Structures are given as structure tokens and as C-alpha cells.
Amino acid sequence: MLALEVTGNVAVLGYGLAAIGSAIGVGMMFSAVINGTARQPEARETLQSIAWIGFGVVEVLAVIGIALAFVFRV
């Protein structure tokens, strides 16, 4: 019988989920920018500036997630 031992912490699993969530969010955000630019090319600068601000916010949330994973590590 093979005994599997789970090592680590639940906080690391939580960070993994946070990283996947932020990756999906960034992908959806930039796909919306591409669709918006294809529909209305003159709004490209406005859409890109809003997208980069949103990208920064989403990535900061991922960094906060990894920081909390280290804080709550047992």
C-alpha cells in the first residue's frame, strides 16, 4: 500500500488559487480591450490606459496573496 503524505500548508493552496484567479482576470481584461479596440479603434488609448491600471490592481492582489501565504504559514 502506498502511503501519500501531504506536506505544506493550506495557505500555499490559497495562493495558488489566487494566482490562477488573477491570471484569468488579466486575460479577460485584455481580451475585452482587444475587442473594444477592434470595434472602436479611436478609443484605443483610453482603453489601454484603463487596462493597465486594472492590470496593476489585479497583480497587487496576487502579491498580497503571496504575502499572506507567508504570514499565515505555520
Side-chain angles (χ1 to χ4, degrees):
M1 175 167 235
L2 180 64
L4 297 176
E5 182 178 337
V6 177
T7 60
N9 193 354
V10 178
V12 176
L13 179 65
Y15 171 66
L17 292 174
I20 290 171
S22 65
I24 291 171
V26 167
M28 290 176 63
M29 181 173 47
F30 280 107
S31 71
V33 169
I34 291 169
N35 286 332
T37 303
R39 292 175 185 266
Q40 193 171 6
E42 61 272 6
R44 183 177 64 92
E45 291 84 14
T46 305
L47 291 173
Q48 280 184 344
S49 65
I50 293 171
W52 284 112
I53 292 169
F55 173 75
V57 170
V58 169
E59 289 301 315
V60 163
L61 292 175
V63 170
I64 289 172
I66 194 167
L68 290 177
F70 283 118
V71 167
F72 293 125
R73 187 175 55 162
V74 176

